[in-house]
Amino acid sequence: MRRGAHIKMRKQALVLVLFTAFTLLSFIRPANAQTGIPNPCPNAKPVPEVLHLPADLPVSGEDFKYEEKVLSYLNSLDYRRLGWCEDKGVRDTGPFINNFAAIVHPGVRIFYSPEVSNWLLNGRQGAIPDGAVIIKEQFPHPPAERYANTPVEKLGCPNDWTFMIKNSKVSRDGWFWGELFNPMDFNNPNRFQYPNTGYGLYCLRCHASAEKELTFASLTNIKGAPGFPLQFRVDDSWRAGIQPLLPTATCKTGPSGSDFKIGAAFPSHAQNAAILAELTAEKLPNRTGPLTNVIQIFPPETLDNVVAPPGKAAQVSGAGVSPEFVTSSQCLTCHSGLSNSPFGPSMAVVTGTSAKRIPTGVNFSAYGEWRWSPMGLAGRDPVFYAQLDSELAFLRGDTKTQQGVIDTCLNCHGAMGKKSYAIEHPDDPFQLAFIFETNPSAPGFKYGGLARDGISCLMCHRNAPPAEPGPDFFFSKDSNGNFRNINGNFRLVPADQLYGPFKDDDITTYPMDTGLGVKPKFNAYLQSSQMCGSCHTIILPVLDKTNQDGTHPFEVEQATYPEWLNSQYRNEYGSVGAKPESCQFCHMPAGYSNAQNHLNIQPIQTRIAVTQDLTYPEADHLAKPDQLNVRYRQDGYRRHELLGTNGFLLQMFLKPVNAQDNNEILGVRLPDYFTGFLDDLKDAAANVVTQAQTITADVQVTNREGLRGVLTVDVTVTNKTGHRFPSGVGFRRAFLEFVVKDKTTGEVVFSSGTTNEKGQITDMNGKVLETEGHVKNAYQPHFNRQNPITSTDQVQIYEELVEDAKGNLTFSFTRRDEEVKDNRLLPIGWSKTGPQDLKLPKQILESTMPKGTAKDDPVYLQGNGQSVVRYRVNLPKGKNERNFTVEVALWSQTLPQDFLDERYQTPGPATNRLRFLADSLGTLAGTDYENWKLLIARAK
């Protein structure tokens, strides 16, 4: 062969080789420059339109139309045909041992939109673009080994999905979360159900622990990528006598899927479904009927959902505070209790299960107890709104003054909504109608949700110390005549901070910072009574009286904090009382004791939050352990009980027998989402009883004498609280019931302070006393040794009574022209001159003083917290005093009938609602509040 021909053939061969190589290379996927890994799913289709979040989808209050479309799409299984990256197979999220699954989710198989898979291929660098989607199929009946030999095409329909859709423009966490399953009824959704989809959802409890972008997604899970998914220990207990269980071949939707049991779906959602079924079975026929046409009902608490804003919250320039607040819905995700296995109980005690396998027990988590405290219910308090009705009715036509009353009252009861609106709309007044707004596109919707959340978590945890120390500044006014630190006016720390009780080096801040953009910090002010004093010192204008300069005088309407200052319990402002204890010592106890629940835990030892830390199964791409681990507190845990003796309010939120579900009128769900407990509200009412009968007051018969047919008995009442008893609003009262009985026959020969079924005080013949009418010049004086009770129409009532400008007794908060009586029990350590070494402003000190004849009672004024009442009873002729027994009881009433009757004189939406609720309770028979009175103490 000639040399030229040979060279030509070699060239042709080389060309052929190069062409072949080029052709082969064209089929090889290019490797990612960051990770060096070829794209396992190069032909992935974009996110379909149905999964695009609507631009107008609200944070809360959406109409489920989007969720309905998404569930329909998921049931089509079309996402499996998009060519998206997907997991290598069904995988576990925790171990399975002895037929027990310690899992976060049931068996999962995840699909990743191109935005997510590209982010993974790029080494999880940067941010996941908006619109990205993660779809997680959830297969019942763990462990995943059941599905190990099942071809993908035969996996069928999981019937349960969780998903994440990125949208960084709405919330700090940047995701729209959801769980959807078959069957779901979107036509008749439960408006009280904890939402299955939304922003700032409970998913943050775990996902806020991810080291980046709130997802644990990893390339090692994806088919075609190197590596193996996380493996968890799985024993063979699941194999014994059990055939592999597979999902249905086709998706069952609507009624046709009603026979499908979710099985091992996310425990709280499955639990919630069981609770809903149990509650639905209990509902009475026609339970709503035409009621909503005549009674103004509150929007459901599902609408009270304000999430952390995107990015770092910025402080408002020059305002000194930041407008961003979140509702308690963002706090419950971590600070609510857990009962269900495998990660509970936490902040809860499980005592059993109901017939429908719903757990029973006691929830002492921060959220669980706060929720049913008067603080947690302040934004929906039917008594408060009825009182506001009557105050506004008196001012009818004076819109400016009416607005001032609304602003002042909601500054505490609707604090977050009122304060947010004032900052963001400084020239516009907060409207009462915001509270009842249900349209998510309405301007006041967000502020109504914030207001309905009451005296919420951030109202305390963002409360900052006054700018200057000392009581003179704390109780003073600014240059505009506004109180600086009381009436609910207090400084706020910036929105990206909050105060907690533990030292900075003793807390875990990462999940809260990641999920909410908030970093907790230690500050002792959170533990101070002064912080409580901001809302528990109320000074209001007297609106039916005018000074010479045309202004209104101001009177102290509530003085609980000043009362504490003038007691032995004061521990602030330098010198302290004989027994220094803060408000939190009593109202946020470290232990739990409740005889009705047969529990006594002293102290509570638990974690204060539930997050995905090293107590959970391992996950890919977790933050560092020292950023996550929540300490187990052997001491320092304080309950958020925050109760007094106002259990009557709690009764209004409960479901009365054979009546409308009051909780639906007031817009609250009774079941606790995370524990599944149904009785948290009942437990709170029982806790009121425990507090009332253990740490409130004592009653003793301290002297008894009989002479010439006259029985003389001294009854000593001792106040054990850190303030007056009763304290707070002026319509609360306590009274003594005193009964003398014949030992032999049991016949009552004398009584004082007995009541009828409405709680009205009667004489021994059952006649309602004239002094129960709350009319001019008709009230009970203060009785003592010098002024004894001698007849059955006399009774010792510990109360505050005020008159308006016309001299009529009134329960109004803004027409307090003259106090004619205040003999409420003084705290131990009270002094007429005020606390030693502390000069209180004159008006503040005066507010702690007795009024009326009590100021002449030497025993009452001794500072021992005591009142001695003498009874002088004429006995039946011929009877020896030893033939008789004496029984005495101290009762509390936070809603006496004359207060309710005065409210009913000025009908309005809130007043009508209060009347309906009060009437629905009847006599409260069978409860500790029967006949509208609560026992404090008894002696015989």
Side-chain angles (χ1 to χ4, degrees):
M1 184 179 295
R2 290 180 300 176
R3 178 177 176 82
H6 181 72
I7 293 174
K8 182 178 181 181
M9 289 180 65
R10 289 179 62 185
K11 287 182 177 179
Q12 290 174 340
L14 181 60
V15 169
L16 180 61
V17 169
L18 290 173
F19 176 79
T20 303
F22 178 80
T23 303
L24 289 173
L25 286 172
S26 68
F27 289 99
I28 297 177
R29 295 163 294 172
N32 182 273
Q34 186 70 31
T35 61
I37 298 174
N39 187 349
C41 36
N43 300 315
K45 296 179 181 178
V47 175
E49 182 69 27
V50 68
L51 296 180
H52 292 181
L53 290 170
D56 58 350
L57 188 69
V59 172
S60 64
E62 39 83 19
D63 58 7
F64 303 103
K65 297 302 182 186
Y66 177 69
E67 286 85 344
E68 188 173 16
K69 288 169 55 180
V70 171
L71 182 57
S72 177
Y73 175 77
L74 294 174
N75 274 302
S76 73
L77 303 180
D78 282 350
Y79 58 88
R80 292 181 177 176
R81 294 179 278 274
L82 294 174
W84 288 6
C85 287
E86 61 184 83
D87 279 355
K88 293 180 170 77
V90 180
R91 55 188 174 88
D92 292 313
T93 60
F96 188 100
I97 303 170
N98 292 330
N99 274 320
F100 182 83
I103 56 177
V104 181
H105 290 269
V108 301
R109 181 165 168 262
I110 301 178
F111 292 77
Y112 311 85
S113 74
E115 297 84 356
V116 181
S117 56
N118 290 336
W119 178 73
L120 291 173
L121 285 165
N122 197 41
R124 293 175 57 98
Q125 299 299 309
I128 298 176
D130 282 356
V133 177
I134 299 174
I135 296 175
K136 180 183 297 181
E137 295 181 334
Q138 300 195 134
F139 293 87
H141 316 298
E145 181 69 17
R146 295 181 190 272
Y147 310 95
N149 299 316
T150 305
V152 171
E153 62 272 13
K154 292 186 178 181
L155 275 177
C157 181
N159 272 301
D160 185 282
W161 300 263
T162 60
F163 61 91
M164 301 164 59
I165 303 177
K166 186 69 182 294
N167 188 359
S168 62
K169 298 180 179 63
V170 173
S171 61
R172 161 71 177 178
D173 61 276
W175 291 93
F176 183 88
W177 311 85
E179 179 178 19
L180 298 174
F181 46 83
N182 294 319
M184 296 186 80
D185 188 354
F186 294 105
N187 294 320
N188 299 290
N190 174 18
R191 66 196 190 104
F192 295 95
Q193 177 87 3
Y194 183 92
N196 292 83
T197 62
Y199 295 97
L201 222 56
Y202 69 89
C203 312
L204 292 176
R205 169 172 285 189
C206 292
H207 281 264
S209 295
E211 54 88 22
K212 192 174 293 183
E213 286 293 278
L214 287 91
T215 176
F216 306 110
S218 173
L219 271 179
T220 58
N221 297 326
I222 291 178
K223 184 188 300 183
F228 298 94
L230 283 175
Q231 299 294 307
F232 300 95
R233 184 186 173 195
V234 175
D235 66 10
D236 291 328
S237 58
W238 64 275
R239 299 179 186 274
I242 300 176
Q243 296 297 319
L245 296 173
L246 299 179
T248 54
T250 58
C251 294
K252 294 185 176 182
T253 60
S256 63
S258 59
D259 62 333
F260 178 77
K261 295 181 180 179
I262 296 171
F266 188 79
S268 291
H269 274 156
Q271 178 176 272
N272 216 340
I275 291 171
L276 178 59
E278 182 166 300
L279 295 180
T280 301
E282 294 180 355
K283 297 226 180 274
L284 298 169
N286 301 319
R287 58 182 175 80
T288 51
L291 181 65
T292 55
N293 296 327
V294 294
I295 299 295
Q296 183 190 48
I297 65 174
F298 280 89
E301 67 175 284
T302 307
L303 302 186
D304 305 354
N305 187 34
V306 177
V307 302
K312 285 287 185 181
Q315 189 167 335
V316 173
S317 176
V321 293
S322 192
E324 292 86 2
F325 294 99
V326 298
T327 47
S328 59
S329 60
Q330 303 302 290
C331 306
L332 74 87
T333 59
C334 294
H335 295 288
S336 187
L338 275 184
S339 64
N340 53 299
S341 57
F343 309 114
S346 181
M347 296 179 280
V349 172
V350 179
T351 57
T353 56
S354 71
K356 293 186 181 293
R357 300 181 66 184
I358 297 172
T360 59
V362 174
N363 180 2
F364 46 74
S365 67
Y367 175 83
E369 292 206 276
W370 164 86
R371 184 69 193 91
W372 300 116
S373 70
M375 293 177 68
L377 300 174
R380 297 172 180 271
D381 182 345
V383 182
F384 161 74
Y385 284 101
Q387 180 74 26
L388 187 56
D389 249 8
S390 63
E391 303 290 354
L392 298 178
F394 173 76
L395 298 168
R396 190 173 288 115
D398 185 354
T399 56
K400 181 178 179 181
T401 307
Q402 282 183 326
Q403 187 61 51
V405 170
I406 292 171
D407 290 343
T408 299
C409 295
L410 288 174
N411 208 33
C412 285
H413 276 261
M416 293 196 303
K418 161 65 174 59
K419 294 177 188 297
S420 291
Y421 196 77
I423 293 169
E424 298 176 19
H425 302 82
D427 299 324
D428 298 327
F430 183 91
Q431 299 177 35
L432 200 56
F434 292 168
I435 305 293
F436 300 94
E437 183 57 70
T438 58
N439 180 4
S441 62
F445 176 78
K446 179 183 80 169
Y447 305 101
L450 286 165
R452 289 191 301 270
D453 211 33
I455 304 170
S456 192
C457 313
L458 294 187
M459 286 301 93
C460 291
H461 288 276
R462 282 189 58 198
N463 201 315
E468 297 179 20
D472 285 338
F473 184 82
F474 185 79
F475 295 112
S476 66
K477 293 183 179 181
D478 60 23
S479 58
N480 296 319
N482 300 314
F483 290 103
R484 287 188 173 93
N485 303 290
I486 64 171
N487 287 11
N489 297 315
F490 46 83
R491 300 169 69 231
L492 293 167
V493 299
D496 59 353
Q497 296 178 21
L498 57 77
Y499 286 159
F502 299 109
K503 299 291 185 180
D504 291 349
D505 59 357
D506 192 34
I507 57 177
T508 299
T509 65
Y510 183 88
M512 191 178 294
D513 195 14
T514 303
L516 299 179
V518 173
K519 188 166 184 177
K521 298 171 66 68
F522 168 75
N523 196 299
Y525 187 67
L526 184 72
Q527 300 165 297
S528 73
S529 296
Q530 187 182 96
M531 185 196 71
C532 306
S534 289
C535 277
H536 290 280
T537 309
I538 305 296
I539 301 180
L540 298 176
V542 182
L543 296 178
D544 61 350
K545 180 187 290 186
T546 305
N547 295 322
Q548 290 184 351
D549 60 0
T551 62
H552 298 290
F554 280 80
E555 291 293 331
V556 179
E557 185 264 321
Q558 294 182 46
T560 304
Y561 176 61
E563 292 161 10
W564 173 84
L565 284 175
N566 195 4
S567 78
Q568 70 168 359
Y569 304 102
R570 179 175 60 87
N571 65 355
E572 297 176 349
Y573 301 127
S575 64
V576 299
K579 190 180 179 182
E581 291 174 354
S582 68
C583 304
Q584 292 87 335
F585 181 83
C586 290
H587 295 282
M588 297 183 67
Y592 184 94
S593 179
N594 189 312
Q596 294 186 29
N597 289 322
H598 308 290
L599 285 177
N600 185 20
I601 306 171
Q602 306 293 336
I604 292 172
Q605 296 184 356
T606 185
R607 292 175 175 82
I608 201 168
V610 178
T611 65
Q612 179 146 355
D613 56 13
L614 296 191
T615 63
Y616 271 54
E618 186 178 356
D620 291 306
H621 303 294
L622 271 172
K624 297 176 182 178
D626 62 352
Q627 295 176 303
L628 298 180
N629 284 338
V630 178
R631 279 74 164 173
Y632 184 87
R633 303 289 175 183
Q634 293 182 303
D635 58 65
Y637 184 91
R638 308 295 296 196
R639 292 169 56 203
H640 287 57
E641 183 183 43
L642 302 166
L643 296 173
T645 58
N646 193 12
F648 300 92
L649 171 67
L650 305 189
Q651 294 297 313
M652 289 192 173
F653 283 81
L654 281 167
K655 175 184 177 181
V657 179
N658 296 325
Q660 167 75 22
D661 291 351
N662 286 356
N663 69 294
E664 293 194 4
I665 294 174
L666 295 165
V668 296
R669 70 173 71 92
L670 294 180
D672 181 73
Y673 178 65
F674 280 107
T675 62
F677 297 160
L678 301 178
D679 294 330
D680 285 0
L681 178 52
K682 290 181 181 178
D683 288 342
N687 291 339
V688 169
V689 177
T690 297
Q691 183 168 208
Q693 297 175 1
T694 57
I695 62 171
T696 300
D698 279 336
V699 172
Q700 292 180 300
V701 176
T702 50
N703 182 57
R704 171 178 169 150
E705 298 176 354
L707 183 64
R708 297 190 183 93
V710 177
L711 176 65
T712 301
V713 178
D714 286 350
V715 174
T716 299
V717 185
T718 304
N719 180 14
K720 297 194 293 185
T721 72
H723 42 69
R724 278 190 177 114
F725 174 68
S727 187
V729 290
F731 52 80
R732 297 171 181 166
R733 68 179 186 175
F735 61 91
L736 285 174
E737 179 185 13
F738 179 88
V739 178
V740 180
K741 293 182 180 179
D742 188 301
K743 275 185 181 180
T744 305
T745 65
E747 177 189 4
V748 175
V749 298
F750 181 88
S751 71
S752 164
T754 55
T755 67
N756 62 15
E757 60 184 17
K758 291 183 177 180
Q760 294 170 301
I761 300 175
T762 66
D763 63 17
M764 64 181 296
N765 298 314
K767 180 182 177 182
V768 176
L769 301 184
E770 180 186 7
T771 53
E772 288 296 272
H774 205 63
V775 296
K776 188 173 184 177
N777 298 324
Y779 58 88
Q780 297 285 339
H782 175 77
F783 294 97
N784 53 25
R785 285 174 177 158
Q786 292 73 37
N787 182 30
I789 290 176
T790 58
S791 66
T792 188
D793 60 354
Q794 295 174 316
V795 59
Q796 178 75 326
I797 306 176
Y798 299 105
E799 61 186 345
E800 178 192 41
L801 295 176
V802 298
E803 292 180 343
D804 61 16
K806 297 179 180 178
N808 297 315
L809 291 176
T810 180
F811 288 116
S812 170
F813 292 174
T814 61
R815 284 167 280 152
R816 297 168 50 87
D817 288 80
E818 183 177 356
E819 287 184 271
V820 295
K821 178 186 178 184
D822 191 344
N823 70 332
R824 293 174 294 175
L825 290 162
L826 298 170
I828 298 173
W830 174 88
S831 169
K832 184 184 296 186
T833 58
Q836 186 179 8
D837 301 326
L838 178 66
K839 181 174 176 58
L840 292 175
K842 180 179 179 181
Q843 188 180 36
I844 296 301
L845 178 60
E846 176 65 22
S847 71
T848 72
M849 300 295 165
K851 307 296 189 301
T853 55
K855 66 180 186 296
D856 301 319
D857 181 348
V859 173
Y860 185 82
L861 300 177
Q862 283 179 354
N864 295 325
Q866 291 185 331
S867 165
V868 177
V869 183
R870 176 160 292 175
Y871 293 84
R872 190 168 290 152
V873 180
N874 292 318
L875 299 174
K877 291 183 178 180
K879 294 279 189 177
N880 187 291
E881 69 91 8
R882 294 183 179 179
N883 293 331
F884 298 92
T885 60
V886 170
E887 299 176 5
V888 61
L890 177 66
W891 298 95
S892 170
Q893 286 183 323
T894 58
L895 288 176
Q897 186 63 42
D898 55 350
F899 167 76
L900 295 173
D901 288 340
E902 185 175 301
R903 303 284 69 69
Y904 302 158
Q905 293 174 15
T906 54
T911 302
N912 294 340
R913 180 174 55 244
L914 175 64
R915 187 166 199 160
F916 177 87
L917 294 171
D919 290 348
S920 75
L921 298 180
T923 65
L924 289 165
T927 72
D928 291 290
Y929 305 90
E930 188 166 352
N931 296 337
W932 290 83
K933 58 185 182 182
L934 173 63
L935 180 67
I936 302 298
R938 191 190 296 275
K940 184 175 180 179

